[in-house]
Amino acid sequence: MEDLVAALRAEVQADFDEDGTGHDLSHLDRVYGLAEHLRLKEGGDPLVLAAASYVHDFHRVVEHKAGSYDAHVERATIDDLIQKALGAVNFPATLVPQVCDCVAFTDRYSFSGHALESPSIEARILRDADNLDALGAIGIARAFMFGGALREPIWIADIEPSGIYEAGKTTSVVHHFHEKLLRLKDDMLTASGRELAAERHEFMVLFLDELKREWKLADVASRGAAPTA
């Protein structure tokens, strides 16, 4: 299995080398590591999860080539890219449909109106692993990396978050926290994922509180007024 996973990682590396949105090869590595951590507690097929971890973001490759990060990418297009990558390393053909089903489930969120009935434990684990990498310190770094790629401002303080999550560009990076990232904790589907998500969620809340405190202090000072406690 280790040789097959290494071969698949090498196969997809070129596709993700040009990524500047936080969906690069290191993200795939972390998702694999998180998926394996969850699998050891929750069960599941290790080979399916390893493969799904390394092919789950092909839609970002398509978006990069199209020059748009909010374009809808057909599942058939993604499945074709997955099948080509897996075929190149002689991945077991009987497991390819399971890998594709796992990948298709990663972008489903209850706060977007999706039902979270997953086809398998592997799909639940992959989705939780992918979302865990969007939380905590790494999640914060990736959020600003993605926001920079979309040319989003850090924050526009006088515009309230919409409360509605839509893929692609939003008002600001801080708005993205409120519209998606802070809602992931309650959208986890495994007990192990929920435990890790709770810790990472709290770190993000502390970060946002401090960011807003510093922002408001600087804003008050720039207007020539004395800051209040």
Short mmCIF file of all heavy atoms in Angstrom, two decimals, residues 60-86:
data_model
loop_
_atom_site.label_atom_id
_atom_site.label_comp_id
_atom_site.label_asym_id
_atom_site.label_seq_id
_atom_site.Cartn_x
_atom_site.Cartn_y
_atom_site.Cartn_z
N ARG A 60 -10.30 21.99 -7.89
CA ARG A 60 -9.48 23.21 -7.77
C ARG A 60 -8.53 23.34 -8.94
O ARG A 60 -8.23 24.46 -9.39
CB ARG A 60 -8.69 23.18 -6.45
CG ARG A 60 -9.55 23.16 -5.20
CD ARG A 60 -10.41 24.38 -5.10
NE ARG A 60 -11.18 24.41 -3.87
CZ ARG A 60 -12.15 25.28 -3.62
NH1 ARG A 60 -12.47 26.20 -4.52
NH2 ARG A 60 -12.82 25.24 -2.48
N VAL A 61 -8.05 22.23 -9.45
CA VAL A 61 -7.19 22.25 -10.63
C VAL A 61 -7.97 22.79 -11.82
O VAL A 61 -7.47 23.63 -12.59
CB VAL A 61 -6.64 20.84 -10.93
CG1 VAL A 61 -5.84 20.84 -12.22
CG2 VAL A 61 -5.79 20.34 -9.76
N VAL A 62 -9.20 22.31 -11.98
CA VAL A 62 -10.04 22.77 -13.09
C VAL A 62 -10.34 24.26 -12.94
O VAL A 62 -10.27 25.03 -13.91
CB VAL A 62 -11.36 21.96 -13.13
CG1 VAL A 62 -12.29 22.51 -14.21
CG2 VAL A 62 -11.07 20.49 -13.37
N GLU A 63 -10.65 24.69 -11.71
CA GLU A 63 -10.94 26.11 -11.47
C GLU A 63 -9.72 26.97 -11.78
O GLU A 63 -9.84 28.05 -12.37
CB GLU A 63 -11.36 26.30 -10.02
CG GLU A 63 -12.73 25.73 -9.69
CD GLU A 63 -13.03 25.76 -8.20
OE1 GLU A 63 -12.09 25.95 -7.40
OE2 GLU A 63 -14.20 25.58 -7.84
N HIS A 64 -8.54 26.50 -11.38
CA HIS A 64 -7.32 27.27 -11.64
C HIS A 64 -7.10 27.46 -13.13
O HIS A 64 -6.78 28.56 -13.59
CB HIS A 64 -6.12 26.55 -11.02
CG HIS A 64 -4.81 27.19 -11.33
ND1 HIS A 64 -4.42 28.40 -10.77
CD2 HIS A 64 -3.79 26.81 -12.15
CE1 HIS A 64 -3.23 28.73 -11.24
NE2 HIS A 64 -2.82 27.79 -12.06
N LYS A 65 -7.31 26.39 -13.88
CA LYS A 65 -7.11 26.48 -15.33
C LYS A 65 -8.16 27.39 -15.98
O LYS A 65 -7.89 28.06 -16.97
CB LYS A 65 -7.17 25.08 -15.95
CG LYS A 65 -5.97 24.22 -15.58
CD LYS A 65 -6.06 22.83 -16.19
CE LYS A 65 -4.83 22.00 -15.84
NZ LYS A 65 -4.91 20.62 -16.39
N ALA A 66 -9.36 27.43 -15.37
CA ALA A 66 -10.43 28.28 -15.90
C ALA A 66 -10.28 29.72 -15.44
O ALA A 66 -10.94 30.62 -15.98
CB ALA A 66 -11.79 27.74 -15.47
N GLY A 67 -9.43 29.95 -14.43
CA GLY A 67 -9.24 31.30 -13.91
C GLY A 67 -10.39 31.79 -13.06
O GLY A 67 -10.57 32.99 -12.87
N SER A 68 -11.18 30.86 -12.53
CA SER A 68 -12.33 31.23 -11.70
C SER A 68 -12.49 30.22 -10.59
O SER A 68 -12.49 29.01 -10.84
CB SER A 68 -13.61 31.27 -12.55
OG SER A 68 -14.74 31.47 -11.73
N TYR A 69 -12.65 30.71 -9.35
CA TYR A 69 -12.77 29.81 -8.21
C TYR A 69 -14.20 29.69 -7.70
O TYR A 69 -14.44 29.21 -6.61
CB TYR A 69 -11.84 30.26 -7.09
CG TYR A 69 -10.39 30.09 -7.47
CD1 TYR A 69 -9.64 31.17 -7.91
CD2 TYR A 69 -9.79 28.84 -7.44
CE1 TYR A 69 -8.31 31.01 -8.28
CE2 TYR A 69 -8.46 28.66 -7.83
CZ TYR A 69 -7.74 29.76 -8.24
OH TYR A 69 -6.43 29.59 -8.63
N ASP A 70 -15.15 30.15 -8.49
CA ASP A 70 -16.55 29.94 -8.13
C ASP A 70 -17.33 29.27 -9.27
O ASP A 70 -18.54 29.24 -9.29
CB ASP A 70 -17.24 31.24 -7.73
CG ASP A 70 -17.16 32.31 -8.82
OD1 ASP A 70 -16.62 32.01 -9.90
OD2 ASP A 70 -17.63 33.43 -8.58
N ALA A 71 -16.57 28.74 -10.22
CA ALA A 71 -17.22 28.07 -11.36
C ALA A 71 -17.66 26.67 -10.94
O ALA A 71 -16.96 25.97 -10.22
CB ALA A 71 -16.25 27.97 -12.53
N HIS A 72 -18.84 26.28 -11.41
CA HIS A 72 -19.33 24.93 -11.12
C HIS A 72 -18.59 23.95 -12.02
O HIS A 72 -18.46 24.16 -13.22
CB HIS A 72 -20.83 24.85 -11.39
CG HIS A 72 -21.38 23.46 -11.26
ND1 HIS A 72 -21.48 22.82 -10.04
CD2 HIS A 72 -21.81 22.57 -12.19
CE1 HIS A 72 -21.98 21.61 -10.22
NE2 HIS A 72 -22.18 21.44 -11.52
N VAL A 73 -18.09 22.89 -11.40
CA VAL A 73 -17.38 21.86 -12.14
C VAL A 73 -18.21 20.58 -12.10
O VAL A 73 -18.58 20.10 -11.03
CB VAL A 73 -15.98 21.59 -11.54
CG1 VAL A 73 -15.23 20.55 -12.38
CG2 VAL A 73 -15.17 22.88 -11.45
N GLU A 74 -18.52 20.05 -13.26
CA GLU A 74 -19.35 18.85 -13.33
C GLU A 74 -18.66 17.66 -12.68
O GLU A 74 -17.45 17.48 -12.82
CB GLU A 74 -19.68 18.52 -14.80
CG GLU A 74 -20.53 19.55 -15.51
CD GLU A 74 -21.95 19.61 -14.96
OE1 GLU A 74 -22.39 18.59 -14.36
OE2 GLU A 74 -22.60 20.66 -15.11
N ARG A 75 -19.45 16.85 -11.98
CA ARG A 75 -18.89 15.68 -11.33
C ARG A 75 -18.24 14.74 -12.35
O ARG A 75 -17.21 14.12 -12.06
CB ARG A 75 -19.97 14.94 -10.53
CG ARG A 75 -19.40 13.70 -9.84
CD ARG A 75 -20.38 12.99 -8.96
NE ARG A 75 -19.78 11.77 -8.41
CZ ARG A 75 -20.39 10.93 -7.61
NH1 ARG A 75 -21.64 11.15 -7.25
NH2 ARG A 75 -19.77 9.85 -7.16
N ALA A 76 -18.82 14.63 -13.53
CA ALA A 76 -18.26 13.74 -14.54
C ALA A 76 -16.83 14.16 -14.91
O ALA A 76 -15.97 13.30 -15.15
CB ALA A 76 -19.15 13.74 -15.79
N THR A 77 -16.59 15.47 -14.93
CA THR A 77 -15.25 15.96 -15.24
C THR A 77 -14.27 15.56 -14.15
O THR A 77 -13.14 15.11 -14.43
CB THR A 77 -15.26 17.50 -15.37
OG1 THR A 77 -16.16 17.87 -16.43
CG2 THR A 77 -13.87 18.04 -15.66
N ILE A 78 -14.69 15.71 -12.90
CA ILE A 78 -13.85 15.35 -11.77
C ILE A 78 -13.60 13.84 -11.73
O ILE A 78 -12.47 13.38 -11.53
CB ILE A 78 -14.47 15.81 -10.44
CG1 ILE A 78 -14.71 17.32 -10.47
CG2 ILE A 78 -13.59 15.42 -9.27
CD1 ILE A 78 -13.49 18.14 -10.80
N ASP A 79 -14.67 13.06 -11.93
CA ASP A 79 -14.52 11.61 -11.92
C ASP A 79 -13.54 11.15 -13.00
O ASP A 79 -12.75 10.21 -12.79
CB ASP A 79 -15.87 10.93 -12.13
CG ASP A 79 -16.75 10.97 -10.89
OD1 ASP A 79 -16.25 11.41 -9.83
OD2 ASP A 79 -17.93 10.58 -10.98
N ASP A 80 -13.57 11.82 -14.14
CA ASP A 80 -12.65 11.46 -15.23
C ASP A 80 -11.20 11.72 -14.82
O ASP A 80 -10.31 10.88 -15.07
CB ASP A 80 -13.00 12.26 -16.48
CG ASP A 80 -12.14 11.87 -17.68
OD1 ASP A 80 -12.14 10.67 -18.03
OD2 ASP A 80 -11.48 12.74 -18.25
N LEU A 81 -10.94 12.85 -14.17
CA LEU A 81 -9.59 13.16 -13.72
C LEU A 81 -9.14 12.18 -12.63
O LEU A 81 -7.98 11.75 -12.61
CB LEU A 81 -9.54 14.59 -13.18
CG LEU A 81 -9.71 15.71 -14.22
CD1 LEU A 81 -9.85 17.05 -13.53
CD2 LEU A 81 -8.52 15.73 -15.17
N ILE A 82 -10.05 11.83 -11.75
CA ILE A 82 -9.73 10.87 -10.69
C ILE A 82 -9.37 9.52 -11.30
O ILE A 82 -8.36 8.89 -10.94
CB ILE A 82 -10.92 10.71 -9.72
CG1 ILE A 82 -11.11 12.00 -8.90
CG2 ILE A 82 -10.71 9.52 -8.79
CD1 ILE A 82 -12.38 12.01 -8.07
N GLN A 83 -10.19 9.07 -12.23
CA GLN A 83 -9.96 7.76 -12.86
C GLN A 83 -8.64 7.73 -13.61
O GLN A 83 -7.92 6.72 -13.57
CB GLN A 83 -11.13 7.44 -13.78
CG GLN A 83 -12.43 7.13 -13.02
CD GLN A 83 -13.66 7.18 -13.90
OE1 GLN A 83 -13.56 7.25 -15.13
NE2 GLN A 83 -14.83 7.16 -13.29
N LYS A 84 -8.28 8.82 -14.27
CA LYS A 84 -7.01 8.87 -14.99
C LYS A 84 -5.83 8.79 -14.03
O LYS A 84 -4.85 8.08 -14.27
CB LYS A 84 -6.93 10.14 -15.83
CG LYS A 84 -7.84 10.12 -17.06
CD LYS A 84 -7.72 11.41 -17.85
CE LYS A 84 -8.62 11.36 -19.09
NZ LYS A 84 -8.58 12.64 -19.85
N ALA A 85 -5.92 9.54 -12.92
CA ALA A 85 -4.83 9.53 -11.94
C ALA A 85 -4.68 8.16 -11.31
O ALA A 85 -3.57 7.64 -11.16
CB ALA A 85 -5.08 10.59 -10.86
N LEU A 86 -5.80 7.55 -10.93
CA LEU A 86 -5.75 6.23 -10.30
C LEU A 86 -5.31 5.16 -11.29
O LEU A 86 -4.55 4.25 -10.94
CB LEU A 86 -7.12 5.88 -9.71
CG LEU A 86 -7.62 6.78 -8.57
CD1 LEU A 86 -9.00 6.34 -8.10
CD2 LEU A 86 -6.65 6.79 -7.41
#
